[in-house]
Amino acid sequence: MLCFLVLLGLHSAAAVKHSLKNIYTASSQVPNFPEFMAVGMVDDVQTEYYDSNTRRLVPKQDWMIRIMKDDPDYWESLTEMRRAHQQLFKVIFETLKQHLNQTGGVHVFQVIFGCKWDDETGDVNGFTCIGYDGEDFLSFDLKTESWIALKQEAEITRLEWDTNKAKTICLKRYLNAWCPYYLKKFVKYGRSSLMRTVRPSVSLLQKTPSSPVSCFATGFYPDRAEMFWRKDGEELHENVGPGDILPNHDGSFQMSVDLNLSSVTPEDWRKYECVFNLTGVRDIITKLDKTAIQTNWRKTGNDGGSSGFRLGDVIGPVIVLLLLVVGIVGYFLWRKNKGKDASDTSGSSVEVPVPDGKYFMM
């Protein structure tokens, strides 16, 4: 969804911004999936998790555990608030389905709301996006204090919510006051983790001799990074395929950018280089070098050229296969000769073994 993708790309390499996001997901008739989930994220790092199956709020970072110990009332209040939101979202979800004349089937209702804070300028901006069945549905304009229907089917809901001034006041208070307050608190607790800088390992990869060369960086943090190819010092935009920044299982990130070399002559390879840029880290520059490319096809010859196979690679397995076939045939002949006087040989076979008022409630 467009507004969701915008929210997931809050960071940029040029500015130091922090974000707090609350992601609520309600669903109906989705197998093996909780009816309600709530996820908290600071700077795109998951900090807490709640679902309707466990009804427990679980911290996902060590520094969130410290907050829980330092302020147990806060954590207990937030847990109760998530339980209240679970019931509230069930009601909202059912109302939306009525507006859309839906009586059953698989449906998903999702809300992302929170704020961004620039710790250099002090600017704060709140945001709210609502999606339904994988499409943008509604968004909240904080400046005009009104809802915007992102598709025609959302118009009924927009009119209903715009008339609920109490809801608007509560949402505005959360986005402008409480969200920045807790975001700054979370950043203070998690600064050593959130503000750390980790350089990546960068590799050149290629699937086949005719495939694009991929410059792959993994293990970096934070995600405020850029990577691009350049020739003779100039950034390239043609024959380049940039990839998305993706999370690794350990909380770090990875990304790649492909370069199509189909029209590049071998003598021009030395003019190309991959540049990885990460906030607070000197650029990592990787020269385009055939000898440095990691691939799953073999290289032969002194010129770095490639070959689809080598004769030795084929002869060895063929000999092994022939020996195996000879062995199996011999085994069957032996069994046949041994059992020809038996009364029944038909069975012969071979077997292989939150406190009130501090949190947005829709």
Side-chain angles (χ1 to χ4, degrees):
M1 291 175 283
L2 178 59
C3 67
F4 283 20
L5 292 175
V6 171
L7 295 180
L8 292 176
L10 292 174
H11 299 309
S12 67
V16 179
K17 293 184 178 180
H18 300 284
S19 65
L20 171 60
K21 299 179 202 171
N22 299 284
I23 306 174
Y24 289 178
T25 303
S27 62
S28 63
Q29 299 185 26
V30 179
N32 304 316
F33 198 75
E35 290 185 349
F36 176 79
M37 293 192 308
V39 175
M41 302 187 74
V42 176
D43 291 355
D44 290 329
V45 175
Q46 185 177 350
T47 56
E48 61 189 60
Y49 174 82
Y50 172 93
D51 67 43
S52 54
N53 291 341
T54 63
R55 294 179 59 84
R56 292 176 54 246
L57 186 64
V58 180
K60 291 296 184 177
Q61 301 295 326
D62 291 341
W63 48 272
M64 286 297 290
I65 296 177
R66 293 202 303 273
I67 295 179
M68 181 174 61
K69 292 180 178 179
D70 293 347
D71 191 356
D73 291 339
Y74 157 77
W75 196 260
E76 185 61 31
S77 298
L78 189 58
T79 301
E80 291 301 320
M81 188 62 67
R82 294 294 182 260
R83 292 170 181 167
H85 284 173
Q86 175 184 333
Q87 300 303 318
L88 183 62
F89 261 60
K90 184 175 182 179
V91 174
I92 297 174
F93 197 11
E94 291 301 320
T95 302
L96 284 176
K97 287 192 286 188
Q98 292 176 13
H99 288 173
L100 299 172
N101 295 320
Q102 296 172 342
T103 57
V106 175
H107 299 287
V108 178
F109 168 50
Q110 191 170 47
V111 177
I112 299 181
F113 63 99
C115 56
K116 299 178 289 183
W117 165 53
D118 191 320
D119 65 358
E120 292 182 347
T121 66
D123 291 341
V124 174
N125 294 291
F127 53 83
T128 303
C129 271
I130 294 180
Y132 192 87
D133 284 352
E135 296 182 352
D136 292 343
F137 194 74
L138 287 165
S139 67
F140 184 73
D141 189 328
L142 191 54
K143 293 182 179 179
T144 62
E145 300 181 15
S146 61
W147 291 94
I148 301 173
L150 302 178
K151 59 184 306 183
Q152 184 62 37
E153 292 84 346
E155 189 62 25
I156 297 177
T157 305
R158 182 195 71 78
L159 291 172
E160 181 179 295
W161 288 10
D162 266 347
T163 59
N164 192 330
K165 299 303 180 183
K167 180 188 299 181
T168 300
I169 292 173
C170 183
L171 176 57
K172 180 182 176 182
R173 182 185 300 123
Y174 173 80
L175 296 178
N176 285 336
W178 288 112
C179 182
Y181 170 80
Y182 280 109
L183 174 55
K184 294 174 183 178
K185 179 175 182 176
F186 294 154
V187 171
K188 179 180 178 181
Y189 270 83
R191 180 169 295 276
S192 61
S193 176
L194 296 172
M195 300 297 288
R196 74 187 190 278
T197 300
V198 181
R199 292 169 57 90
S201 61
V202 180
S203 306
L204 297 179
L205 310 175
Q206 190 177 32
K207 293 182 179 179
T208 69
S210 59
S211 299
V213 173
S214 177
C215 187
F216 177 70
T218 185
F220 63 87
Y221 189 92
D223 63 346
R224 295 186 289 271
E226 294 178 336
M227 190 160 64
F228 53 90
W229 283 97
R230 68 187 181 190
K231 177 184 178 183
D232 293 330
E234 296 292 331
E235 183 176 349
L236 294 174
H237 299 285
E238 296 183 357
N239 298 321
V240 172
D244 296 325
I245 296 179
L246 303 174
N248 290 323
H249 70 281
D250 60 358
S252 64
F253 297 91
Q254 62 171 274
M255 69 184 305
S256 63
V257 57
D258 294 343
L259 175 64
N260 189 335
L261 294 171
S262 59
S263 60
V264 179
T265 59
E267 55 269 20
D268 282 343
W269 275 46
R270 56 185 178 81
K271 299 179 181 180
Y272 291 83
E273 58 189 13
C274 171
V275 181
F276 177 87
N277 175 269
L278 179 66
T279 302
V281 175
R282 179 180 296 180
D283 287 353
I284 300 175
I285 300 176
T286 305
K287 296 286 186 179
L288 181 57
D289 183 351
K290 285 187 176 182
T291 61
I293 296 177
Q294 300 180 35
T295 180
N296 55 6
W297 49 274
R298 295 182 181 274
K299 294 181 178 180
T300 61
N302 298 325
D303 59 351
S306 62
S307 174
F309 65 89
R310 292 186 301 183
L311 187 59
D313 294 336
V314 178
I315 292 178
V318 169
I319 293 176
V320 173
L321 180 60
L322 288 174
L323 291 175
L324 180 61
V325 171
V326 170
I328 293 175
V329 171
Y331 173 80
F332 274 106
L333 291 175
W334 174 77
R335 286 291 300 269
K336 182 178 180 180
N337 291 331
K338 182 179 179 181
K340 57 185 176 181
D341 293 332
S343 59
D344 183 12
T345 60
S346 61
S348 299
S349 63
V350 177
E351 296 183 359
V352 178
V354 204
D356 186 32
K358 295 185 179 180
Y359 299 90
F360 163 52
M361 292 188 65
M362 298 183 61

